[in-house]
Amino acid sequence: MADAFIIDACRTPRGIGKVGKGSLAHLHPQRLAATVLGALAERNKLDTATVDDIIWGTSSQRGSQGADLGRMAALDAGYDVKASGVTLDRFCGSGITSVSLAAAQIMSGMEDCVIAGGTEMMSYTAATADPKSPPVLDAGNMHLRAIHPQTQQGVCADAIATLEGIDREAVDQLAYTSQQRAAMAIAEGRFAKSIVPVYNEDGTLALDHDEFPRPGTTMETLGSLKTVFNMYMDIPVDDQGNTYGNLLTRKFPELEGKVNHVHHAGNSSGVVDGAAAILLTSKAYADKHGLKPRGRIVATANMGDSPTLMLNAPVPAAKKVLEKAGLTKDDIDVYEINEAFAVVAEKFIRDLDLDRSKVNINGGAMALGHPIGATGSILIGTALDELERSGGRYGLITMCAAGGMAPAIIIERLDA
């Protein structure tokens, strides 16, 4: 099987995902995606007529984020019309899946140059959400709801913390560590290789740095925050008497009245806008066009788990991708596990018995934010940058996704 090489990776800064507050919120999602696509082409002197496909991840594909964002953004970025594009949705896992599919196309010999990535404008999706219709992942399919009741993600996070005996202090400590590590990474310019500035239509700068981090966060400030998802338990989701709470307890009756709510705004992922892109090629393409690979895709995997608990698939996904790669957990130098909620990363570390110094070395989504469809691609770029900075060889990236899923990928730094 042929190798799929990573030539380059870039991302936008993550802007606060609120209209009127975030520096990117006024932009069209296609413009944000076009920013990273344009940067890849410019940085690598890419003949865009030779790009076989663009595989893009976007979770909320409606309105301005609909209409095959990957293709439209490429056209907006000035790519040759020969460069095709497709957009996919694996919820939070979309940005890893886009890279995995791009790699598979190259490794199978079907394509030679594919760009993968993702975009999410959470400011847009929040502003256009229907407040009268609580979002349920089954989209109103009552037959599916009877088989696999799916509740709100934060409710799932608190349920897992309760079942696993993970307390408030543990999740707050992880959130504090995330903020401290992100602050250090920013101060030392560890993201500088990947971040590309975003400009307004008039050419003025919109944003050139991550906007969400709160470096002044302390354990005391985290401890003062009120939990959030206890307020979701009694919210009705249909006209049959179902609430987020009883969707959970229908599958886990032992949690009735016993959920220990530990998550709040400080130890949950930040709501942000962002985009990321990764250029992958075959060896033949790289040689022909004078491109020097930075890394290669070693293995990819996907795993499902309980849709009701929703967030527990990263551990089995990591085990599966390690087995596919013929590696052990100790062979991995850099782990990126998306901090959708603190309990996800905490459980991941505990279950795999990982060295914490290898996990989310430069902070995670609790500090930097989680632009849903883009985050996976961001994390792959972050892992590659960190491998180059530290001299490590292998990076493993995974994340929970709605519906009880997790994609996972292992990359190798070349010249390691």
Side-chain angles (χ1 to χ4, degrees):
M1 189 177 295
D3 279 323
F5 290 125
I6 301 174
I7 304 300
D8 198 10
C10 67
R11 68 173 177 91
T12 67
R14 282 169 271 201
I16 292 171
K18 293 183 179 180
V19 173
K21 187 174 182 181
S23 297
L24 302 178
H26 62 290
L27 298 172
H28 196 288
Q30 293 173 12
R31 295 295 300 135
L32 203 62
T35 296
V36 288
L37 288 171
L40 275 189
E42 182 179 351
R43 284 158 52 135
N44 298 282
K45 298 180 173 57
L46 190 63
D47 177 0
T48 59
T50 66
V51 174
D52 294 308
D53 207 3
I54 296 155
I55 304 178
W56 216 247
T58 307
S59 181
S60 298
Q61 294 183 29
R62 65 175 188 264
S64 295
Q65 286 198 165
D68 191 355
L69 200 153
R71 169 63 171 176
M72 298 307 144
L75 295 173
D76 188 71
Y79 274 46
D80 192 284
V81 296
K82 293 179 181 177
S84 186
V86 65
T87 302
L88 60 86
D89 174 13
R90 197 196 290 275
F91 302 110
C92 297
S94 301
I96 291 180
T97 296
S98 64
V99 176
S100 296
L101 293 179
Q105 286 288 87
I106 292 167
M107 295 168 78
S108 69
M110 294 295 102
E111 307 284 17
D112 285 296
C113 178
V114 184
I115 296 174
T119 301
E120 204 79 42
M121 297 285 288
M122 297 185 75
S123 57
Y124 172 77
T125 56
T128 57
D130 182 0
K132 297 180 181 179
S133 179
V136 184
L137 291 169
D138 58 33
N141 180 352
M142 302 307 289
H143 182 266
L144 173 58
R145 189 170 298 178
I147 302 170
H148 292 296
Q150 298 175 72
T151 186
Q152 198 270 347
Q153 291 95 323
V155 170
C156 294
D158 285 341
I160 293 166
T162 304
L163 293 168
E164 297 290 330
I166 298 174
D167 61 19
R168 170 74 180 261
E169 183 177 1
V171 291
D172 280 359
Q173 180 61 56
L174 201 68
Y176 173 72
T177 299
S178 183
Q179 290 284 356
Q180 293 298 298
R181 289 181 174 181
M184 179 178 291
I186 291 167
E188 295 183 358
R190 296 185 188 181
F191 302 137
K193 181 182 288 186
S194 289
I195 289 183
V196 296
V198 180
Y199 293 93
N200 296 310
E201 294 297 324
D202 62 4
T204 59
L205 180 68
L207 190 64
D208 64 358
H209 63 279
D210 288 315
E211 194 172 34
F212 189 79
R214 300 177 179 89
T217 298
T218 65
M219 285 294 289
E220 289 72 26
T221 58
L222 289 168
S224 70
L225 296 175
K226 293 182 178 180
T227 57
V228 174
F229 301 106
N230 45 305
M231 295 184 286
Y232 281 71
M233 296 292 283
D234 296 326
I235 293 177
V237 297
D238 56 36
D239 57 5
Q240 298 187 19
N242 285 308
T243 64
Y244 283 127
N246 65 30
L247 288 178
L248 170 69
T249 56
R250 276 166 52 186
K251 278 286 186 180
F252 295 90
E254 67 271 28
L255 290 174
E256 182 73 49
K258 296 182 179 179
V259 176
N260 181 24
H261 295 282
V262 298
H263 288 90
H264 49 74
N267 59 29
S268 304
S269 55
V271 175
V272 296
D273 300 328
I278 298 176
L279 173 60
L280 300 104
T281 76
S282 65
K283 183 179 187 302
Y285 184 97
D287 289 345
K288 179 179 179 180
H289 295 273
L291 298 172
K292 183 180 179 180
R294 295 172 58 192
R296 74 177 184 97
I297 307 299
V298 177
T300 71
N302 296 288
M303 180 63 74
D305 204 275
S306 164
T308 304
L309 289 179
M310 199 179 306
L311 312 175
N312 276 344
V315 170
K319 292 178 177 178
K320 183 177 180 180
V321 78
L322 284 167
E323 183 178 357
K324 283 178 173 289
L327 299 171
T328 71
K329 67 182 180 69
D330 295 326
D331 292 319
I332 304 300
D333 301 293
V334 172
Y335 284 92
E336 287 288 341
I337 166 68
N338 185 43
E339 296 171 349
F341 301 91
V343 74
V344 176
E346 184 65 23
K347 177 175 165 57
F348 187 82
I349 292 168
R350 294 186 185 192
D351 285 2
L352 294 174
D353 190 23
L354 297 179
D355 178 348
R356 289 178 181 267
S357 69
K358 291 184 175 183
V359 183
N360 297 354
I361 296 168
N362 297 307
M366 290 185 288
L368 294 158
H370 172 29
I372 298 173
T375 302
S377 296
I378 291 175
L379 296 184
I380 292 169
T382 298
L384 182 57
D385 286 347
E386 179 57 29
L387 289 171
E388 292 175 339
R389 186 192 72 84
S390 63
R393 182 174 182 181
Y394 292 114
L396 189 156
I397 304 95
T398 188
M399 59 202 307
C400 59
M405 301 181 288
I409 191 167
I410 292 176
I411 63 171
E412 180 183 16
R413 176 180 71 89
L414 296 185
D415 300 325

